[in-house]
Amino acid sequence: MNNIYADHNATTPLCREATEKMHKAMEIWGNPSSAHRPGRLANQLLNDSRESVAQAAGVEPLEVVFTSGGSEANTLALLGSFWSSTERPFRLLTSRVEHSSVRDTVAFLQSQKAEIQFITVERPNGELCWNEFITQLADFKPHLVSLMAANNETGVCFPIDQISNLAKEHQFLLHTDAVQAFGKTPPSVWNRADFVSLSAHKIHGPKGSGALIIRSGKKLVPTHFGGAQEIKRRGGTENLIGIAGFGAACTVIPQESTFAEMARVRDHFEKVLLDRLPQVFIHGGKSPRIPNTSNIRFEGIASEVLLGALDMDGVSVSAGSACSSGSISPSHVLLELGLEPNLAKQCLRFSWGRTTSQAEVDTVAELVINHVQRIRSRRAST
Ligand SMILES: Cc1ncc(COP(=O)(O)O)c(C=O)c1O
């Protein structure tokens, strides 16, 4: 039985550095806000972790606000911007392929009379419709733009660095959900946004820990009140153990040479499938993508059938974003790429990790090829 994990966009295994640091952090039980010695020890751990996250993200330590993860960071960025702005109606420009934590917050803001415009993505490659975006900047004049740095389902990247170049001229604040881009792209491509969402468990840190980067001078009304923690930007006693694990995971975050190796392994996997199987389609295959993600449609094969067969082989993949699995409706991201609902249910996401070997990828490719050929030939003979 294999044990190959190809679902790193859903979550990643805890790295040794994070595990060890969290064990040590369990003995540091003081409250970081207390003035006595146990409190100072806890505060030291908090600040060390803040420095590690800041260094990995290429920002200043005081720009890091710890949260319970990427979803909270997204919610804080959007609600906090809305509440701190005096502009009404508040205008928000976003895309149709964002993570559900952005989509649901946007829906709430709509109910609060914010005006929302959605930029579509190019079909079928998933890139941001640049002309539409430029037109909307001029016509709609958004107060806030929220666009993800990398899509969790297809891996396709939006040009956040180019967009941040336009922020001053068009006077908008920029938020980016960099949860999937962090640790898979250089920070310089997304860290010039005013607000940046990060999550620890996508970079081999613990679940329930993340951060919103709030660039210096940018203000947000908090979504959590009740204390002066995080310089009054997020009230509540900090999750010190989770934060310690996040900081430790940041100390071993991959560098650019690893991204290139990850892309090589991923591209090899896709090439083997394309060479050996007809009617296989890679979503965003020619677009700028994070280096670990392949979203693939196998014509005529229901995703849950292939997913189940691979699971029996000991290979873990995903049929969409983990947050929407269990629901039978096709992924909103794939529908936005122009796929008919029945075709959107023929897709699997393979998301490799930084330690995935070519041998593992070769094993998965062989298993996929065998299953697809078997299922297709059985169908042909009935
Ligand atoms: C793009 C993106 N944003 C946000 C999140 C939410 O992060 P968290 O699980 O830390 O709340 C996820 C998680 O799947 C994600 O992929």
Side-chain angles (χ1 to χ4, degrees):
M1 175 85 161
N2 301 289
N3 191 3
I4 301 178
Y5 185 70
D7 200 13
H8 289 79
N9 287 9
T11 196
T12 54
L14 213 52
C15 63
R16 183 179 50 78
E17 289 77 4
T19 311
E20 287 176 4
K21 192 76 180 185
M22 289 165 78
H23 277 132
K24 284 197 190 127
M26 282 178 204
E27 286 161 22
I28 299 182
W29 46 266
N31 186 328
S33 302
S34 302
H36 45 58
R37 187 176 147 73
R40 283 199 306 277
L41 285 175
N43 197 38
Q44 180 67 48
L45 177 58
L46 182 64
N47 286 334
D48 289 351
S49 307
R50 196 183 304 285
E51 281 201 16
S52 302
V53 174
Q55 195 168 3
V59 300
E60 293 300 319
L62 288 181
E63 295 177 319
V64 176
V65 174
F66 286 115
T67 65
S68 65
S71 299
E72 185 192 320
N74 284 338
T75 308
L76 172 58
L78 298 183
L79 289 188
S81 306
F82 174 68
W83 284 327
S84 47
S85 170
T86 52
E87 304 283 356
R88 292 294 181 270
F90 182 79
R91 291 187 294 277
L92 166 59
L93 189 59
T94 185
S95 86
R96 294 199 180 275
V97 295
E98 300 294 315
H99 185 262
S100 52
S101 53
V102 167
R103 280 156 53 86
D104 291 354
T105 312
V106 166
F108 172 72
L109 286 177
Q110 209 157 14
S111 76
Q112 301 302 299
K113 307 216 168 15
E115 286 184 1
I116 318 289
Q117 279 291 336
F118 294 94
I119 306 290
T120 50
V121 295
E122 306 273 2
R123 298 181 166 190
N125 64 21
E127 288 174 48
L128 191 74
C129 284
W130 187 251
N131 290 343
E132 194 182 317
F133 176 66
I134 295 296
T135 306
Q136 287 290 0
L137 282 188
D139 293 355
F140 181 59
K141 298 188 176 40
H143 300 111
L144 177 68
V145 171
S146 177
L147 291 168
M148 65 203 317
N151 189 275
N152 42 308
E153 296 195 38
T154 60
V156 172
C157 298
F158 286 165
I160 301 303
D161 50 344
Q162 256 175 282
I163 294 170
S164 42
N165 288 338
L166 300 170
K168 207 166 178 187
E169 181 192 342
H170 290 273
Q171 296 189 326
F172 60 84
L173 287 169
L174 176 60
H175 164 246
T176 189
D177 173 351
V179 164
Q180 294 293 347
F182 189 40
K184 299 172 201 153
T185 55
S188 57
V189 303
W190 39 259
N191 72 4
R192 286 191 302 121
D194 300 299
F195 310 111
V196 181
S197 301
L198 307 176
S199 173
H201 75 105
K202 311 291 182 176
I203 61 151
H204 301 267
K207 291 160 198 47
S209 183
L212 181 68
I213 307 299
I214 303 181
R215 298 314 301 259
S216 167
K218 306 295 168 185
K219 293 211 166 17
L220 284 184
V221 170
T223 51
H224 290 56
F225 296 95
Q229 291 91 352
E230 301 297 294
I231 328 182
K232 295 194 172 164
R233 294 168 298 186
R234 202 266 190 183
T237 305
E238 298 85 350
N239 166 17
L240 202 56
I241 297 167
I243 289 171
F246 186 16
C250 283
T251 63
V252 288
I253 203 151
Q255 303 300 311
E256 271 183 76
S257 56
T258 310
F259 306 150
E261 177 55 16
M262 287 167 83
R264 193 193 63 74
V265 170
R266 187 267 318 270
D267 292 348
H268 166 78
F269 172 70
E270 293 180 355
K271 184 170 183 323
V272 173
L273 294 185
L274 289 170
D275 285 351
R276 305 252 312 269
L277 285 175
Q279 300 287 77
V280 165
F281 306 92
I282 317 277
H283 298 127
K286 296 208 164 46
S287 304
R289 274 185 299 169
I290 45 175
N292 75 322
T293 307
S294 299
N295 190 305
I296 308 181
R297 183 166 79 80
F298 300 91
E299 171 68 35
I301 313 277
S303 43
E304 69 268 20
V305 172
L306 191 49
L307 187 148
L310 289 170
D311 191 34
M312 300 276 276
D313 295 329
V315 175
S316 312
V317 300
S318 157
S321 76
C323 307
S324 64
S325 66
S327 102
I328 48 159
S329 51
S331 140
H332 71 283
V333 175
L334 298 176
L335 295 180
E336 285 301 323
L337 297 190
L339 270 76
E340 294 297 325
N342 61 325
L343 300 187
K345 291 180 180 173
Q346 299 178 348
C347 304
L348 284 190
R349 178 186 70 185
F350 300 82
S351 52
W352 312 103
R354 62 198 189 205
T355 58
T356 304
S357 67
Q358 180 155 332
E360 287 178 300
V361 159
D362 281 333
T363 302
V364 177
E366 283 309 317
L367 291 167
V368 169
I369 290 164
N370 288 341
H371 287 308
V372 169
Q373 286 173 338
R374 176 179 52 78
I375 297 165
R376 282 182 179 165
S377 67
R378 203 174 53 202
R379 174 141 339 119
S381 64
T382 54

